[in-house]
Amino acid sequence: MARNIQSLERAAAMLRLLAGGERRLGLSEIASALGLAKGTAHGILRTLQAEGFVEQESASGRYQLGAELLRLGNSYLDVHELRARALVWTDDLARSSGESVYLGVLHQQGVLIVHHVFRPDDSRQVLEVGAMHPLHSTALGKVLAAYDPVAHSEAAEADWQSFTSRTVVDPDGFEGVLDVTRARGYAADVEETWEGVASVAAPIHDRRRMPVGAVGITGAVERVQRDGELRPDLIAAVRDCARAVSRDLGAGRF
């Protein structure tokens, strides 16, 4: 059995100690509570402080939890709240569109699928929750890159793979796609990631009007398009779903 890394265990214990107290703790108190030498405790605290997980009060020299932990915690909660708020609406979208529905959020340099509703037919399908999709070619990814500055930066730094002959890998061309996405309020992927597959996605915003994810449908090109164009009813359904989830997250009317 693999052994745990002692320094990480000590750092975790230190964070739990700081989280459990109602006041800031000094170096001696932390070292004593955890049974550590002061030098060892100070080294761990210094590392945690450099990463933003711990803050030191300048006047007293005492330590408390840092803002980075709050940011990570809020991110975790946001994803779970997003998924919970989207459950009913994504089920409705799958039923009304007859297609698979995906809910995605930014993760590193891609789109993490956090919820997937199967296409409502008897076909064999594979659950894709936890899968990573590219930012530059998928409808979900384009929406995130268009509305979220962080996602835009991540997309620019990612390795752009040409999946099909339709994949846009030119930076200027990609920026043009994002401009169009913002102008019309949704993004499309017509055989840019998978041959024979088309997608439509729209942004989801939270109570601060910040983009927190994207929702979209994916299906065969011949079903998602009509006469070579994306079906307006599917576009409207996706946008309505995104607005409904946004309202449930407190974003108000868009």
Side-chain angles (χ1 to χ4, degrees):
M1 180 181 294
R3 297 179 61 184
N4 294 338
I5 301 175
Q6 188 180 57
S7 59
L8 292 179
E9 289 181 330
R10 289 172 171 176
M14 198 169 287
L15 292 173
R16 292 192 188 97
L17 177 65
L18 291 171
E22 297 181 357
R23 59 191 177 89
R24 300 177 181 89
L25 298 176
L27 174 61
S28 297
E29 294 171 300
I30 294 172
S32 176
L34 298 179
L36 300 175
K38 280 188 179 181
T40 301
H42 184 256
I44 296 172
L45 284 167
R46 187 172 56 202
T47 300
L48 292 173
Q49 184 179 0
E51 295 297 326
F53 297 141
V54 164
E55 296 175 354
Q56 185 179 28
E57 188 181 47
S58 56
S60 67
R62 292 177 176 270
Y63 295 90
Q64 63 183 10
L65 294 180
E68 181 64 13
L69 273 180
L70 178 62
R71 186 190 70 80
L72 292 176
N74 282 340
S75 174
Y76 176 81
L77 292 173
D78 284 348
V79 169
H80 284 263
E81 183 182 6
L82 171 63
R83 185 165 48 200
R85 298 287 185 179
L87 288 176
V88 173
W89 300 112
T90 51
D91 282 349
D92 287 347
L93 178 58
R95 281 194 294 270
S96 65
S97 67
E99 301 296 345
S100 300
V101 176
Y102 294 88
L103 186 68
V105 299
L106 175 67
H107 181 66
Q108 297 175 354
Q109 293 183 335
V111 183
L112 174 65
I113 303 303
V114 297
H115 185 54
H116 175 197
V117 184
F118 283 167
R119 184 173 61 255
D121 60 20
D122 295 328
S123 62
R124 183 176 181 179
Q125 299 172 65
V126 177
L127 187 66
E128 290 197 45
V129 172
M132 290 291 293
H133 290 185
L135 281 169
H136 71 287
S137 64
T138 61
L140 293 171
K142 293 175 193 176
V143 163
L144 293 174
Y147 288 90
D148 184 350
V150 176
H152 183 273
S153 297
E154 293 292 338
E157 295 173 4
D159 181 20
W160 290 9
Q161 182 178 349
S162 183
F163 299 106
T164 74
S165 61
R166 292 173 176 262
T167 309
V168 177
V169 293
D170 170 63
D172 291 336
F174 184 67
E175 290 300 323
V177 169
L178 299 188
D179 288 340
V180 171
T181 297
R182 285 185 286 265
R184 63 190 185 183
Y186 70 91
D189 163 13
V190 180
E191 297 189 285
E192 295 177 48
T193 310
W194 301 281
E195 296 283 357
V197 176
S199 302
V200 180
I204 296 172
H205 297 80
D206 66 5
R207 61 185 61 86
R208 300 162 296 176
R209 296 295 183 95
M210 297 294 292
V212 293
V215 63
I217 60 167
T218 296
V221 172
E222 59 267 23
R223 294 196 305 268
V224 178
Q225 285 192 324
R226 181 181 295 133
D227 298 326
E229 299 291 337
L230 294 169
R231 287 169 49 190
D233 60 314
L234 294 183
I235 295 172
V238 170
R239 297 191 67 192
D240 286 346
C241 178
R243 282 192 288 260
V245 178
S246 297
R247 285 196 300 270
D248 278 3
L249 289 171
R253 298 184 66 86
F254 272 80

